[in-house]
Amino acid sequence: LMGLFEPDQHYSFMVNQKGRPIRHRGEEVPADTTIVTQTHYLDLMKIYKRFHNDFDEVFFVVSSRGDSEELRINPKLCEYNNVLCLEYEDLIYANRSQLETMVQKLTAIFQDRFGYFFGENSSLLGSESQMNAIQRLEEMDKAVASLSSQPASVIDKKFGVHGGHRSNSNLLEVKPLAANEGDPDFKHMAEDVKKSFHVFAATPPHTASTVLTNWIMGIFEPEEYYSFMVNTKGRPVLQNGVEIPISKTIVTKTHYLDLLALYKRFRKEFDEVFFVVSNRGTDPETRIDYDFCEYNNVLCIEYDDLVYSNNIELELMVQKLTRMFQDRFEYFFGANSPLLDMEKQKNAVQRLKEMDDVTKSMADQTFDHVDQKFGVHGGHRNRDDSESKSALAPQVPDEAPRAVSVVSDENAVQPQRKIFYCGGWKGQTE
């Protein structure tokens, strides 16, 4: 929580004694000194009554463990709209990949539970906030390791961890996943399984294929120029105007939709060939044969999943698409693939932002002008049938929480739940 809201702050703790003072860096402080306060005092109603007049809202995030009543909160409290209850198992990770997945999951749960206050597209789910949370947890783990031989009375004032914590904790050391960059085939390797692969963004025209292609390139080769397989005799692959072997890149865009022919042609060059397809509407001209979507190495995505209108929606889109990719191709990459690495998603977001900037700069040029890095055409924004028309809508400012209390979205839909008020994954393809 602190990583999301106040990543560099020292933790504050409400002591479970008379007056229940809040202590921060060894001194008693008022509640509005920080955004997040830890406590083992579990009369949430009393805490709410004490502090609700100081803020627009007071939230409670509770962790419970096992079946013992001493390690669980009253389940009735979990029904309140401003209370989020988590299980101990949701807070365990053993490596960097699992840490990132945990942060994504917890942040999404937080956003879903408290969407009535923060709104549906809150910057809480921004990649920057999640990266901050991951960084803080990694620093916390280092602090835990450094205090492992200290007595429990020694407490780290920034993270709130005690000496000797590691010896009685189930937390495992977080080790960043290191890629073997010395491998000559590294560029075409799934980092965790060391297998070669190629991804075709094989789409009908006008289905957000440019967005689709640049998202995948952002994950695998964020600085690369896009490559395109021309739908002519021999189907050459061109990059920056020059014919290249397909092994030169990881991602190739094409409007040639005989996926089986492509697979038979290129399968011998890689351990696997994947196809990511975008579909739009009900017109057969903008949809691929549904039977292809049944194959294990084919991921079909709808146009509506490729549309965004601001930076927050862009980040959410990249997260969703990357998770869909991971889930669909888990049989190859494995369950804990670094595909979901926050840095890769950040690269994808950045590439799509740069694509949008180039698209805008070419708005007054003719369609035959093509940017060789992103594959966007001149006049793209002004075409009525542009696949990126909605996806490239003008950017609106991202919403961001205030230092301590956040202004609620007056237009947010209020779920019909209680709230405190003082007095409420087919077989392997052949």
Side-chain angles (χ1 to χ4, degrees):
L1 289 169
M2 293 187 67
L4 291 178
F5 292 108
E6 46 188 359
D8 297 317
Q9 184 65 274
H10 282 58
Y11 96 116
S12 65
F13 185 82
M14 177 186 286
V15 185
N16 192 4
Q17 63 184 39
K18 185 177 179 180
R20 297 186 177 83
I22 296 175
R23 304 191 69 82
H24 177 72
R25 307 186 75 165
E27 298 180 358
E28 185 173 346
V29 297
D32 61 2
T33 300
T34 62
I35 300 176
V36 181
T37 298
Q38 179 183 349
T39 187
H40 296 314
Y41 179 61
L42 299 180
D43 190 334
L44 307 193
M45 182 65 79
K46 284 187 177 180
I47 296 176
Y48 184 80
K49 289 179 178 180
R50 176 179 172 184
F51 295 109
H52 84 283
N53 287 326
D54 296 333
F55 306 96
D56 293 317
E57 184 58 290
V58 176
F59 301 100
F60 300 90
V61 182
V62 183
S63 59
S64 294
R65 181 179 183 179
D67 299 323
S68 172
E69 292 185 1
E70 294 183 355
L71 300 176
R72 304 198 66 83
I73 197 168
N74 184 339
K76 292 184 179 180
L77 291 172
C78 298
E79 297 178 7
Y80 286 94
N81 201 43
N82 58 331
V83 180
L84 169 61
C85 293
L86 302 172
E87 291 296 320
Y88 172 81
E89 289 76 16
D90 294 326
L91 300 164
I92 297 298
Y93 53 93
N95 53 48
R96 170 65 185 250
S97 180
Q98 290 181 13
L99 169 60
E100 293 177 350
T101 300
M102 182 195 74
V103 168
Q104 289 183 355
K105 177 182 178 180
L106 295 179
T107 308
I109 293 173
F110 186 100
Q111 169 67 19
D112 290 344
R113 185 62 170 177
F114 303 140
Y116 73 92
F117 182 84
F118 294 99
E120 294 183 358
N121 294 312
S122 170
S123 57
L124 282 173
L125 281 175
S127 59
E128 193 68 32
S129 296
Q130 294 187 47
M131 285 294 290
N132 288 338
I134 291 166
Q135 179 65 33
R136 183 177 176 95
L137 286 166
E138 288 183 321
E139 292 175 358
M140 179 198 74
D141 288 338
K142 291 177 181 178
V144 170
S146 70
L147 292 172
S148 60
S149 61
Q150 300 290 325
S153 59
V154 177
I155 304 175
D156 180 274
K157 292 294 193 297
K158 181 173 182 179
F159 303 104
V161 295
H162 293 257
H165 204 120
R166 178 168 296 278
S167 62
N168 53 29
S169 169
N170 284 338
L171 287 176
L172 302 179
E173 183 177 1
V174 177
K175 297 180 179 179
L177 298 175
N180 182 13
E181 298 186 25
D183 190 327
D185 291 325
F186 168 74
K187 183 179 178 67
H188 310 285
M189 295 291 187
E191 296 175 33
D192 52 350
V193 294
K194 301 298 185 292
K195 295 178 181 179
S196 63
F197 64 95
H198 194 83
V199 182
F200 281 99
T203 72
H206 316 317
T207 58
S209 57
T210 306
V211 173
L212 179 80
T213 303
N214 281 285
W215 153 59
I216 306 172
M217 292 187 68
I219 296 292
F220 291 109
E221 44 188 0
E223 302 301 329
E224 190 63 82
Y225 280 64
Y226 99 115
S227 64
F228 185 80
M229 176 181 283
V230 186
N231 195 5
T232 59
K233 184 178 180 180
R235 298 186 178 83
V237 176
L238 303 180
Q239 184 184 52
N240 205 12
V242 179
E243 185 173 350
I244 61 168
I246 198 166
S247 59
K248 187 176 179 180
T249 63
I250 299 175
V251 183
T252 298
K253 177 181 176 180
T254 186
H255 294 315
Y256 177 62
L257 300 180
D258 189 335
L259 306 193
L260 187 55
L262 289 174
Y263 186 79
K264 289 179 177 179
R265 176 179 174 183
F266 295 109
R267 174 63 176 82
K268 61 183 180 291
E269 298 186 33
F270 306 97
D271 289 315
E272 186 60 288
V273 175
F274 301 103
F275 301 92
V276 182
V277 182
S278 56
N279 289 313
R280 182 177 185 178
T282 57
D283 188 338
E285 295 295 319
T286 57
R287 300 196 69 83
I288 198 169
D289 188 327
Y290 179 76
D291 289 344
F292 282 122
C293 300
E294 295 292 309
Y295 286 93
N296 199 47
N297 59 332
V298 179
L299 171 61
C300 292
I301 295 174
E302 290 297 317
Y303 172 84
D304 291 342
D305 291 326
L306 296 163
V307 174
Y308 54 93
S309 60
N310 56 56
N311 288 335
I312 295 171
E313 291 182 4
L314 169 59
E315 293 177 355
L316 291 172
M317 180 194 78
V318 167
Q319 288 182 17
K320 178 181 179 180
L321 295 178
T322 307
R323 188 171 291 110
M324 290 170 65
F325 188 103
Q326 168 67 20
D327 290 345
R328 185 64 171 177
F329 303 139
E330 179 181 335
Y331 73 92
F332 182 84
F333 293 99
N336 294 311
S337 170
L339 279 174
L340 284 174
D341 188 303
M342 289 299 300
E343 195 63 34
K344 288 184 172 60
Q345 294 188 45
K346 189 174 180 179
N347 290 341
V349 169
Q350 183 59 35
R351 183 177 176 96
L352 287 166
K353 287 180 178 180
E354 293 174 2
M355 179 200 75
D356 288 345
D357 290 340
V358 170
T359 301
K360 294 172 186 177
S361 71
M362 296 176 65
D364 297 327
Q365 298 184 27
T366 57
F367 184 72
D368 57 345
H369 284 80
V370 183
D371 179 87
Q372 296 300 323
K373 182 172 182 179
F374 301 103
V376 296
H377 292 259
H380 208 142
R381 288 178 61 81
N382 299 325
R383 295 171 63 218
D384 293 337
D385 59 351
S386 168
E387 65 264 28
S388 297
K389 181 178 179 181
S390 298
L392 299 175
Q395 300 290 303
V396 299
D398 298 342
E399 53 183 302
R402 294 187 332 203
V404 173
S405 182
V406 186
V407 178
S408 62
D409 183 349
E410 294 180 357
N411 297 318
V413 177
Q414 301 290 331
Q416 297 302 310
R417 295 195 296 256
K418 295 188 293 184
I419 185 171
F420 279 144
Y421 290 109
C422 285
W425 134 21
K426 180 173 179 166
Q428 185 80 16
T429 56
E430 299 295 327

